[in-house]
Amino acid sequence: SSSLVLAGIRQLLQDCAYMSRLTLLCSATVVALGALVYAGLPQIAARLEGNSLRVNNTHIREFLEKQAGHGPLARHPNYEHFPYRGVYMFQYLGPAAIIDMSYAENWDEKGGTFEYNMKYCMFQSGFVPFMQILALERGFDRGLMLITPFDVLPGGLMGQTFRKYNNRWKCPLGLPHDSWSCSVRTSLPGNRSEYENPQYTDFSMTMSDGGRLWVRD
């Protein structure tokens, strides 16, 4: 049934998402499942995504200007010193679209740590166009042609998978600058005990272009 297929894809995403490099079997399986959804199971996407619509860039800018950057952390008296202050757009993460860092939680200024739950991210409805996934400039930019699990999932399914996905960030003390790097420890089920007993490999986020770009290493 479609519910079993959804459950299988969701579990596969959980199994593959935190590998430092996807195995050939994992990559091939994810691509095969994605092709199945694209070609043979459109009702799954329709059930998750609802009716399609097009949003103009002007309306997106108006929304961000009025609504973004007003999360709970923005009311912190020292928010101006928060290293990740701002609203960012994801690149190469499938339908994941925007992350508003004013929704970060449990900021410890002295310890250089904070948490972010991915349920606060915005996701693009539907699938990423397949030709966009295979665009040559993307391959050259990343150094290889790599299709990730996120590329072949609709935004609704990714949003459901990420609704408990929590990250603890640990950043160096001092003023941020280019090449300044924070380590990130993840918990897909949102279990904070995994911070002390990690289930996945930590990754880093490195600042560049004066803080306008952060790169996952």
Side-chain angles (χ1 to χ4, degrees):
S1 68
S2 61
S3 60
L4 290 177
V5 174
L6 284 173
I9 296 175
R10 185 178 295 114
Q11 183 60 50
L12 184 63
L13 175 62
Q14 294 176 2
D15 292 341
C16 295
Y18 299 107
M19 295 181 182
S20 57
R21 291 188 181 276
L22 292 174
T23 65
L24 179 61
L25 177 61
C26 182
S27 296
T29 306
V30 169
V31 172
L33 281 173
L36 180 64
V37 172
Y38 267 103
L41 295 171
Q43 70 275 17
I44 291 180
R47 203 182 87 196
L48 286 168
E49 310 303 316
N51 296 325
S52 62
L53 72 157
R54 182 181 298 274
V55 181
N56 294 329
N57 286 338
T58 302
H59 296 153
I60 294 175
R61 287 194 295 270
E62 289 177 354
F63 171 81
L64 292 176
E65 289 172 357
K66 294 177 181 178
Q67 302 297 330
H70 303 303
L73 191 62
R75 296 188 288 273
H76 191 286
N78 293 329
Y79 181 58
E80 62 180 293
H81 301 299
F82 182 61
Y84 272 84
R85 187 175 69 256
V87 179
Y88 296 89
M89 181 181 70
F90 288 106
Q91 190 175 23
Y92 309 142
L93 197 61
I98 294 171
I99 181 169
D100 183 347
M101 298 305 292
S102 68
Y103 285 89
E105 303 171 309
N106 301 322
W107 179 31
D108 179 356
E109 297 177 71
K110 295 182 179 179
T113 62
F114 66 90
E115 297 179 34
Y116 194 93
N117 193 298
M118 298 292 283
K119 68 182 180 182
Y120 295 117
C121 296
M122 298 181 192
F123 300 88
Q124 172 184 308
S125 180
F127 294 97
V128 177
F130 194 67
M131 292 310 296
Q132 180 179 326
I133 296 173
L134 298 179
L136 287 178
E137 61 270 24
R138 175 181 180 176
F140 290 135
D141 191 30
R142 301 172 80 182
L144 74 166
M145 292 297 293
L146 176 64
I147 296 177
T148 73
F150 308 108
D151 292 323
V152 293
L153 293 173
L157 180 56
M158 178 179 277
Q160 288 185 20
T161 304
F162 278 15
R163 64 179 179 269
K164 293 184 179 179
Y165 171 16
N166 211 44
N167 300 285
R168 186 184 69 179
W169 303 60
K170 185 171 180 58
C171 302
L173 302 179
L175 294 175
H177 53 81
D178 282 1
S179 77
W180 195 76
S181 186
C182 300
S183 64
V184 183
R185 183 162 292 179
T186 64
S187 173
L188 191 65
N191 186 352
R192 288 186 170 87
S193 65
E194 292 186 359
Y195 295 152
E196 306 306 324
N197 300 288
Q199 303 297 307
Y200 308 103
T201 304
D202 294 356
F203 61 90
S204 62
M205 294 291 291
T206 303
M207 176 178 169
S208 64
D209 196 18
R212 287 180 288 274
L213 177 67
W214 294 84
V215 180
R216 174 172 172 164
D217 300 323

